[in-house]
Amino acid sequence: MYRIEKLVERLKSEGFDGILLIKDSNIRYMSGYTGADSYVIISETARAFITDSRYTEQAEAECTGFEVIKWRHPAAGLEETIQGVCSKHGIKKLAFERDKMTYDLFERLSNGMKSIELIPSSGLVEGIRYVKCQEEIENIRRAAEIADNAFDEVLKYIRVGVSEKDIERELQYLIKKKGADDIGFPIIVASGKRSSLPHAIPSDKRIESGDFITLDFGAMVNGYRSDMTRTIIVGEPTDKQKEIYDIVKAAQAAGEQAIKAGVQGSVPDDSARGYISQAGYGDNFGHGLGHGVGLDIHEEPFMSTRCEKILQIGNVITVEPGIYIPDWGGVRIEDTVLVKEDGIEILTKSPKDLIIL
Ligand code: GLY
Ligand code: MN
Ligand code: MN
């Protein structure tokens, strides 16, 4: 499996004998396992999958090429199990994912495995996940298509009097009904003045005439996610609402136009942000332009003014500028896009002209 071979190469070049994986998305990427609460050790010779009795049968079915090792009663404890794998494969310097290891686990493992040096590492697997293969792209493409279909249908449900939570529930149902394994992440529904909250949690607020409604949602297919936002309006927009919407729409287009392989991640951000700033709303766009999407909803590259990552063919990223005006409302428009040699393919295809219900 080329993913494991690439990881082993990276381990060698950084001077590690092996790596302990604890992050679910990295474990899934490397082993195919779709469950939880498990550990993987990979080295030149080790393909060890460590789990407990709840998951051993599943792991044996899913993790081709891995030795599935059961820990917990009556088998050995976690630290003895990891120690056993390391001794068998001559692993003395064991890398771990620094952004996932808890202090509790670190203390337990370092106290219980005195002969092994635990070394923090970052991005070893994520660096391989950065560029998606065709199969991963097809999963995200399907997740985007399902989200588009669900959006199209939820529009028939949205009207004055339904609450944000009602819309969230309906959208969740539609995403699953149209074939997703799950929603891509917790759905955001923010209406009226609440649309100034970029990551609002759906509330009992009922839709009123004149409300902007920001819907931020996605689908999950085989673990891969899509991510899209549309802001719509119920009732006729005011001139100010039209002005803000048009600025965000043009900024989103500017961001997308600036994307192609070889470009630094800060460039599309500058492009969209520059447009919003020139229109006088720079202070109302506080977050980065977008982020990678895949097995995690937020992954590299994180596109902001300071992003140094170079975009590559096969990156899947979001483009999501917004303007948020406290006590008034806000607009965000977001696509998931595939980076190509000379530009992008937009995977989320829902219309971006203002939808008036
Ligand atoms: N739903 C979170 C985001 O768009 O990043
Ligand atoms: Mn989103
Ligand atoms: Mn996003």
Side-chain angles (χ1 to χ4, degrees):
M1 193 184 191
Y2 82 98
R3 294 175 181 181
I4 293 181
E5 281 153 17
K6 277 192 188 168
L7 178 59
V8 170
E9 262 173 40
R10 285 173 163 241
L11 291 172
K12 271 194 209 161
S13 73
E14 300 219 4
F16 300 122
D17 299 325
I19 187 166
L20 168 69
L21 300 179
I22 52 183
K23 197 188 221 176
D24 285 345
S25 52
N26 284 343
I27 289 178
R28 182 165 187 162
Y29 185 77
M30 284 295 161
S31 71
Y33 176 67
T34 61
D37 291 341
S38 298
Y39 307 84
V40 159
I41 297 174
I42 291 175
S43 74
E44 184 139 28
T45 55
R47 311 281 183 270
F49 193 97
I50 300 169
T51 193
D52 60 67
S53 61
R54 293 171 299 165
Y55 295 113
T56 42
E57 190 178 348
Q58 178 182 348
E60 270 156 12
E62 290 180 340
C63 306
T64 313
F66 278 78
E67 179 190 6
V68 176
I69 302 165
K70 185 165 82 173
W71 73 281
R72 284 195 189 153
H73 183 78
L78 182 61
E79 45 278 56
E80 289 96 327
T81 309
I82 293 175
Q83 171 99 56
V85 172
C86 290
S87 307
K88 181 171 162 191
H89 294 276
I91 300 168
K92 293 201 170 60
K93 289 174 186 279
L94 183 64
F96 65 84
E97 299 144 309
R98 65 179 303 144
D99 60 338
K100 198 64 190 169
M101 176 68 88
T102 61
Y103 187 73
D104 267 358
L105 183 60
F106 180 78
E107 202 174 49
R108 177 175 166 190
L109 295 182
S110 38
N111 288 341
M113 313 190 310
K114 298 276 186 216
S115 61
I116 293 165
E117 194 183 347
L118 283 164
I119 309 168
S121 72
S122 69
L124 284 169
V125 179
E126 289 84 348
I128 307 170
R129 286 169 51 189
Y130 188 62
V131 169
K132 272 65 183 172
C133 70
Q134 204 51 43
E135 187 186 338
E136 295 178 286
I137 292 167
E138 286 317 315
N139 285 325
I140 301 171
R141 195 192 296 285
R142 178 77 188 119
E145 187 183 19
I146 290 170
D148 277 331
N149 292 341
F151 176 65
D152 189 46
E153 202 159 324
V154 84
L155 293 176
K156 296 176 200 147
Y157 176 84
I158 298 174
R159 59 189 172 276
V160 169
V162 298
S163 73
E164 292 175 355
K165 280 186 184 167
D166 291 334
I167 297 170
E168 177 203 15
R169 220 170 9 246
E170 186 68 12
L171 191 49
Q172 182 158 339
Y173 166 74
L174 287 168
I175 288 169
K176 290 192 185 180
K177 185 178 167 205
K178 290 184 182 296
D181 300 331
D182 203 344
I183 53 171
F185 55 89
I187 293 172
I188 294 168
V189 181
S191 66
K193 288 183 180 178
R194 297 187 82 251
S195 55
S196 69
L197 305 171
H199 272 194
I201 294 166
S203 74
D204 290 319
K205 180 192 165 299
R206 294 189 182 278
I207 305 304
E208 294 168 45
S209 184
D211 276 358
F212 266 144
I213 310 174
T214 296
L215 302 159
D216 185 346
F217 56 99
M220 186 195 286
V221 172
N222 293 325
Y224 287 84
R225 301 157 203 266
S226 63
D227 187 5
M228 65 179 280
T229 305
R230 291 294 182 269
T231 301
I232 60 170
I233 192 158
V234 175
E236 277 306 307
T238 62
D239 287 346
K240 170 111 179 195
Q241 284 173 319
K242 277 193 228 163
E243 179 209 345
I244 299 295
Y245 191 89
D246 287 345
I247 295 166
V248 174
K249 186 177 152 215
Q252 208 264 348
E256 290 189 341
Q257 274 156 21
I259 298 172
K260 62 178 180 180
V263 158
Q264 188 168 321
S266 57
V267 172
D269 185 289
D270 288 345
S271 197
R273 196 171 302 282
Y275 191 92
I276 289 176
S277 297
Q278 271 186 1
Y281 292 97
D283 290 342
N284 302 92
F285 175 26
H287 56 75
L289 181 65
H291 52 87
V293 191
L295 287 171
D296 286 314
I297 185 59
H298 296 129
E299 52 182 60
E300 291 285 3
F302 292 97
M303 287 199 294
S304 68
T305 47
R306 289 185 303 178
C307 179
E308 291 178 357
K309 293 265 179 194
I310 303 297
L311 300 181
Q312 293 186 30
I313 297 172
N315 287 155
V316 177
I317 57 179
T318 68
V319 184
E320 51 177 305
I323 293 178
Y324 311 97
I325 304 173
D327 204 35
W328 181 82
V331 171
R332 177 169 66 257
I333 301 172
E334 174 180 28
D335 282 324
T336 298
V337 309
L338 169 65
V339 178
K340 301 195 135 184
E341 187 175 357
D342 293 319
I344 54 170
E345 176 188 340
I346 300 175
L347 302 179
T348 44
K349 300 185 191 301
S350 296
K352 286 182 271 192
D353 286 338
L354 180 58
I355 294 173
I356 303 173
L357 296 179

